[in-house]
Amino acid sequence: YDIIKAAYATTAVRRDQYPEGSVPEVAFLGRSNVGKSSLINSLCNHRGLARVSGAPGKTQTINYFSAALRRRDEAEGEQRLPFYLVDLPGYGFAKTGGKNRDMWSAFIGEYVTQSPNLCVLCLLVDLRHPGLAIDQQAYDWLSSAGVPLQIVGTKADKLKANEKNRNLAQLNKLFPSDRPALAYSSLKRDGFGPLAKNLFERVL
Ligand code: GDP
């Protein structure tokens, strides 16, 4: 598996600005600073694609990146699946109080419920801290809205193997979904294979 030809496509803040057509979408969401931009850049092998850090919580827009999932298979040859990576604004930034928070949930709510092409939403959780209340709230809300989820534990390189397994098990218990939670490290691109396979199968 690989992700190729990643490029910025468009930005939306309202439904009528979502891209037209039926290109499947994989969305990424998580607490500010969880490593979302780094993960998108690392998945795409494209350093400056999504911005890293800068001003967390400030960019309240939905950014679409076009890319293709490529699979090479001995029997079937090469398959290319065009899709959008959709970067959703992070939650839980300290300065995002009252009014901002309502705006955030209306905004994300509109996207997750009204995007016909959304195939799977990757909910990013810092693998060192499974079960933060704010992540639990996001999970509860998304799962009650019926959004297909993939839980991704980020910054996996900061943990030893046994801690990694323990925390993944914890994530699976707290945030159950159709498929098991996966660990990922943006530094080493560790965990790319299983994540890309999971996304590919859900985008197909
Ligand atoms: P975002 O706010 O969720 O987009 O988070 P960023 O991608 O900007 O990352 C926040 C911070 O965590 C930055 O300092 C990154 O360098 C760091 N970071 C992100 N991913 C990883 C990772 O996989 N491993 C390590 N060690 N640090 C990471």
Side-chain angles (χ1 to χ4, degrees):
Y1 293 92
D2 210 353
I3 293 177
I4 55 169
K5 293 191 166 185
Y8 168 79
T10 188
T11 293
V13 293
R14 294 189 311 270
R15 193 184 167 191
D16 60 10
Q17 297 170 330
Y18 299 168
E20 284 176 26
S22 54
V23 175
E25 296 172 12
V26 176
F28 298 86
L29 178 63
R31 190 169 51 84
S32 296
N33 225 35
V34 73
K36 180 166 53 73
S37 312
S38 304
L39 179 133
I40 292 173
N41 292 342
S42 139
L43 282 178
C44 297
N45 246 330
H46 190 316
R47 259 172 175 267
L49 192 63
R51 256 170 298 165
V52 173
S53 280
K58 261 195 115 183
T59 38
Q60 297 284 320
T61 57
I62 301 176
N63 296 316
Y64 292 77
F65 302 100
S66 62
L69 271 162
R70 178 169 67 183
R71 182 170 71 168
R72 285 210 202 88
D73 186 282
E74 294 256 318
E76 295 178 49
E78 187 178 295
Q79 248 180 307
R80 286 183 183 202
L81 246 147
F83 77 113
Y84 283 120
L85 292 99
V86 182
D87 187 4
L88 299 171
Y91 55 81
F93 184 55
K95 284 184 188 156
T96 311
K99 204 173 159 199
N100 256 337
R101 199 157 52 221
D102 295 344
M103 207 175 82
W104 181 87
S105 54
F107 192 69
I108 304 290
E110 184 175 47
Y111 174 77
V112 298
T113 56
Q114 318 239 3
S115 276
N117 302 323
L118 175 62
C119 295
V120 54
L121 186 148
C122 295
L123 180 61
L124 275 44
V125 178
D126 190 323
L127 195 55
R128 293 170 299 176
H129 310 294
L132 294 180
I134 190 139
D135 291 330
Q136 185 75 57
Q137 278 168 21
Y139 170 84
D140 290 346
W141 184 74
L142 291 163
S143 46
S144 67
V147 182
L149 293 177
Q150 171 65 58
I151 310 295
V152 182
T154 62
K155 309 190 187 183
D157 56 277
K158 297 200 179 207
L159 292 170
K160 297 191 184 107
N162 62 331
E163 298 170 320
K164 206 165 109 175
N165 292 333
R166 187 193 60 207
N167 291 1
L168 273 176
Q170 183 78 357
L171 284 181
N172 281 318
K173 206 169 93 187
L174 294 170
F175 307 144
S177 69
D178 313 352
R179 302 202 180 200
L182 295 170
Y184 193 80
S185 164
S186 295
L187 288 189
K188 307 172 181 173
R189 229 184 177 211
D190 259 359
F192 179 84
L195 181 56
K197 179 173 186 286
N198 245 339
L199 299 183
F200 194 94
E201 288 169 1
R202 291 161 101 157
V203 162
L204 258 184

